[in-house]
């Protein structure tokens, strides 16, 4: 814009600067405007780039969150399916176990029916009347002899339709006593205080 060589008085330098500014003012203004425009363009590009990067990051974040939600939903579906499958398998196992138990009960009912001794007649000497109450409220009664053993009671109960369990006990209330097939099977009804009559409760031990 201006070159000054050699010694110069301050007042002359100020005048030269003022003249140069006046002569080249438009040119300088244009240069400054161009510089400002370029700076503005850079700022706009930077802002656009920042907005673009932010948009990309937002899209990536949304995609990541969507993928995480899908993964969580798939995991929850898989867990629910596994629980449902486990419940079905458990139900099938319970049903199979119940069916097997029923078959065992029916097979034992047939076997015990074949070996059950005849019921002694009413009024016979030494007859004991034993009544068995079942959980469903039903009851069955039969006559036995005082010399019959508790195992005979179990043999009879095994033949009844009300009997549904593989393992059970016969319990008297007054006095309370649990008659076990294994421990009391050889005890006579007379020795077990089940004569001349007794009431026993059928208790499932399955």
């Amino acid at each position: 814009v201006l070159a000054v060589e050699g010694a110069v008085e301050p007042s002359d330098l100020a005048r030269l600067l003022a003249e140069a500014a006046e002569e080249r003012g438009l040119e300088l203004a244009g240069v400054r405007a161009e510089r400002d425009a370029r700076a503005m363009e850079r700022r706009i590009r930077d802002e656009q780039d920042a907005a673009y990067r932010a948009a990309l990051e937002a899209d990536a974040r949304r995609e990541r969150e969507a993928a995480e939600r899908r993964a969580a939903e798939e995991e929850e579906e898989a867990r629910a399916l596994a629980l449902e499958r486990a419940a079905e398998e458990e139900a099938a196992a319970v049903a199979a176990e119940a069916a097997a138990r029923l078959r065992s009960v029916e097979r034992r009912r047939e076997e015990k029916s074949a070996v059950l001794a005849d019921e002694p007649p009413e009024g016979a000497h030494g007859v004991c009347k034993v009544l068995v109450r079942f959980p469903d409220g039903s009851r069955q009664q039969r006559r036995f002899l005082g010399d019959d053993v508790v195992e005979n009671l179990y043999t009879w109960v095994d033949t009844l339709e009300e009997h549904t369990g593989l393992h059970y006990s016969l319990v008297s209330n007054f006095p309370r006593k649990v008659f076990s097939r294994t421990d009391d099977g050889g005890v006579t009804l007379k020795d077990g205080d089940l004569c001349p009559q007794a009431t026993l409760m059928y208790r499932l031990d399955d």
Side-chain angles (χ1 to χ4, degrees), residues 15 70 143 155:
R15 178 179 50 78
R70 287 194 299 270
R143 293 186 300 275
T155 299

Side-chain angles (χ1 to χ4, degrees), residues 102-187:
L102 181 59
R103 288 193 299 271
S104 298
V105 170
E106 291 175 348
R107 184 167 56 252
R108 187 165 65 182
R109 182 178 295 125
E110 295 175 357
E111 294 172 354
K112 296 299 183 178
S113 296
V115 299
L116 180 64
D118 293 336
E119 184 177 12
E122 183 75 34
H125 178 70
V127 165
C128 304
K129 292 183 179 180
V130 179
L131 183 144
V132 176
R133 296 179 183 273
F134 291 88
D136 62 358
S138 61
R139 61 182 66 184
Q140 291 286 350
Q141 181 174 289
R142 192 181 192 275
R143 293 186 300 275
F144 293 89
L145 296 176
D147 293 333
D148 287 336
V149 293
V150 171
E151 178 62 33
N152 296 124
L153 290 181
Y154 274 94
T155 299
W156 166 60
V157 173
D158 287 341
T159 66
L160 300 176
E161 293 293 334
E162 292 83 356
H163 160 59
T164 58
L166 288 176
H167 306 287
Y168 64 94
S169 301
L170 298 175
V171 183
S172 64
N173 283 333
F174 304 105
R176 180 171 178 79
K177 177 175 174 55
V178 178
F179 291 92
S180 167
R181 186 195 296 263
T182 55
D183 297 336
D184 304 301
V187 177

